[in-house]
Amino acid sequence: MKYNINWNGSDGVFAVPDLAADCLKLSSGKAVKLLLYILKNKGSEETLAEMGKAVGITEEDAEDAISYWQQVGVILDENAASHKTTLPTAAVPKAPSPVKQFEDMSAPRTREKSSKMISPSEISERLESSEDIRFLFSAAETTLGKVLTYTEQRTIIWIHDYYGTAPDMLLMIMDFAVSQNKASIGFIEKIASQWHENGIVTHEQAEREILRMQNYYSLAGQVSARLELNRTLTPTEQKFIKEWSAKGINIELILYAYEKTVDNIGKVKFSYMNTILNDWHGKGIFMPTDVKKYEASSLEASAAVSPKKQSLPKKDEHSYNLELLVEHALNTVPKIK
């Protein structure tokens, strides 16, 4: 079927480099939007945030798009270090970098930022040569509910190659991230890194870890909401909550410890709450009602072992009989030797 362009109402045209058209296969719709905007407005200077707003994408998406077009050579990366991006006055692309051969998985790898800089041509090569990567990209898009960006594609390949994370394990991480409304590639990479460091490689280990993380994030959310913190938890606070979650301490007991803390010191202090909760946990106390029962029984036991106070004589009362003493003195005759 033949499609014709409607030129009516157009003030002019702008050129699109052949190289850009050749790289459409791996480009996202957002990347194409930004490129067309740049080509249409060549010569002007705008921030990535401004360009993104103009085409209806976020600044983060704009950064990802710029990175993609720089990698394929459509946009020169003279201003890559700055958010202030000069729109090119001429579409003179540099030749794409030659395709690099990927290292064997058994070869040692250096953990560097540059190891993530996989070019679009390398990604295309991996898609053609690796069934795992094809499956991973397809399943990831289904799980995340969107087309993968260039940054997401290269990070997923990096996680798979560097950490040796199997596709099914990586998809479990993605599914967990979606369930927590944290489906960013940065969060996914963070979890993958933790699993790698903790030696989580089997489904059983992964399921236990996911359950642990679900409990923690649920408890952290409840703590923030019920204590009305209205801010991000600090690393120290997160550490305490992870410990409470691991011990099975519930939100009701935490709230009771919070009340005790405020009553005693007049403010919220997680370290003080932690001391109280650890004391209760050590005594096998898991509910506020148990705390109250324990405190009541402690008071009763204390009262039972306390010595009874002896009654003291009232004022002007004596512990002896004065009349008997006088009588004894009058009837007693001292002996003279």
Side-chain angles (χ1 to χ4, degrees):
M1 186 175 180
K2 184 177 181 181
Y3 297 94
N4 296 315
I5 302 298
N6 179 12
W7 299 104
N8 295 330
S10 176
D11 294 333
V13 297
F14 57 87
V16 177
D18 288 339
L19 181 58
D22 293 339
C23 295
L24 288 177
K25 181 178 179 181
L26 290 177
S27 64
S28 66
K30 295 174 181 178
V32 173
K33 277 185 176 183
L34 192 70
L35 179 64
L36 292 177
Y37 183 81
I38 290 174
L39 294 172
K40 176 69 168 61
N41 297 277
K42 56 183 179 291
S44 65
E45 289 189 355
E46 294 180 56
T47 64
L48 288 176
E50 291 168 340
M51 289 191 290
K53 184 177 180 180
V55 298
I57 64 177
T58 65
E59 182 177 2
E60 182 181 359
D61 289 331
E63 289 177 350
D64 185 72
I66 287 290
S67 178
Y68 174 78
W69 293 120
Q70 287 173 340
Q71 286 290 316
V72 297
V74 171
I75 292 179
L76 301 180
D77 58 358
E78 297 171 357
N79 302 299
S82 172
H83 273 211
K84 192 73 173 180
T85 305
T86 303
L87 306 184
T89 56
V92 183
K94 63 182 180 181
S97 303
V99 176
K100 298 179 182 179
Q101 295 298 320
F102 279 78
E103 297 174 279
D104 187 271
M105 283 295 294
S106 61
R109 297 175 181 273
T110 303
R111 191 173 187 178
E112 296 176 350
K113 183 71 173 177
S114 60
S115 64
K116 289 186 185 178
M117 299 307 294
I118 305 170
S119 71
S121 59
E122 290 174 319
I123 294 175
S124 181
E125 176 70 17
R126 290 300 297 277
L127 280 170
E128 293 178 5
S129 63
S130 173
E131 185 177 347
D132 275 359
I133 297 301
R134 287 197 301 273
F135 165 75
L136 190 51
F137 277 21
S138 175
E141 290 183 344
T142 300
T143 301
L144 300 176
K146 65 173 187 174
V147 176
L148 296 175
T149 66
Y150 165 58
T151 297
E152 290 167 340
Q153 289 176 343
R154 71 187 186 188
T155 304
I156 288 171
I157 290 178
W158 185 82
I159 292 172
H160 176 272
D161 287 355
Y162 177 74
Y163 292 133
T165 306
D168 55 343
M169 298 287 283
L170 187 47
L171 290 173
M172 290 177 74
I173 295 174
M174 292 181 186
D175 189 59
F176 170 74
V178 170
S179 72
Q180 299 297 318
N181 295 319
K182 295 177 178 289
S184 69
I185 195 62
F187 181 77
I188 292 167
E189 181 186 344
K190 177 183 177 181
I191 299 300
S193 172
Q194 292 174 350
W195 285 20
H196 174 72
E197 292 174 359
N198 295 329
I200 298 173
V201 294
T202 68
H203 277 269
E204 291 75 12
Q205 291 172 328
E207 288 171 358
R208 286 197 298 270
E209 182 62 15
I210 286 175
L211 179 61
R212 185 197 67 77
M213 291 190 297
Q214 285 174 336
N215 291 337
Y216 161 69
Y217 282 107
S218 174
L219 187 60
Q222 292 179 71
V223 169
S224 294
R226 301 286 292 273
L227 269 60
E228 299 181 350
L229 297 180
N230 299 319
R231 58 174 174 77
T232 302
L233 293 168
T234 68
T236 300
E237 291 169 343
Q238 292 175 17
K239 174 179 173 292
F240 284 134
I241 295 174
K242 285 179 181 177
E243 292 175 359
W244 302 340
S245 176
K247 292 176 179 177
I249 296 175
N250 59 55
I251 185 62
E252 299 305 326
L253 195 64
I254 292 172
L255 290 176
Y256 198 56
Y258 161 76
E259 292 175 7
K260 293 279 188 182
T261 300
V262 174
D263 288 343
N264 291 342
I265 64 174
K267 62 180 180 180
V268 181
K269 190 172 183 180
F270 272 65
S271 58
Y272 194 94
M273 289 169 59
N274 186 59
T275 300
I276 295 174
L277 289 168
N278 282 339
D279 179 61
W280 290 343
H281 184 266
K283 291 180 171 68
I285 296 173
F286 297 98
M287 293 297 294
T289 52
D290 297 331
V291 176
K292 294 172 183 178
K293 289 178 182 178
Y294 175 80
E295 290 175 341
S297 63
S298 296
L299 287 174
E300 291 176 2
S302 177
V305 300
S306 296
K308 295 182 179 180
K309 294 182 179 180
Q310 296 180 350
S311 57
L312 297 175
K314 295 180 181 179
K315 189 175 181 181
D316 298 331
E317 289 185 356
H318 305 285
S319 59
Y320 51 86
N321 191 318
L322 184 59
E323 292 180 356
L324 292 176
L325 288 176
V326 170
E327 183 180 352
H328 175 74
L330 291 173
N331 297 327
T332 300
V333 178
K335 295 181 180 180
I336 301 174
K337 293 182 181 180

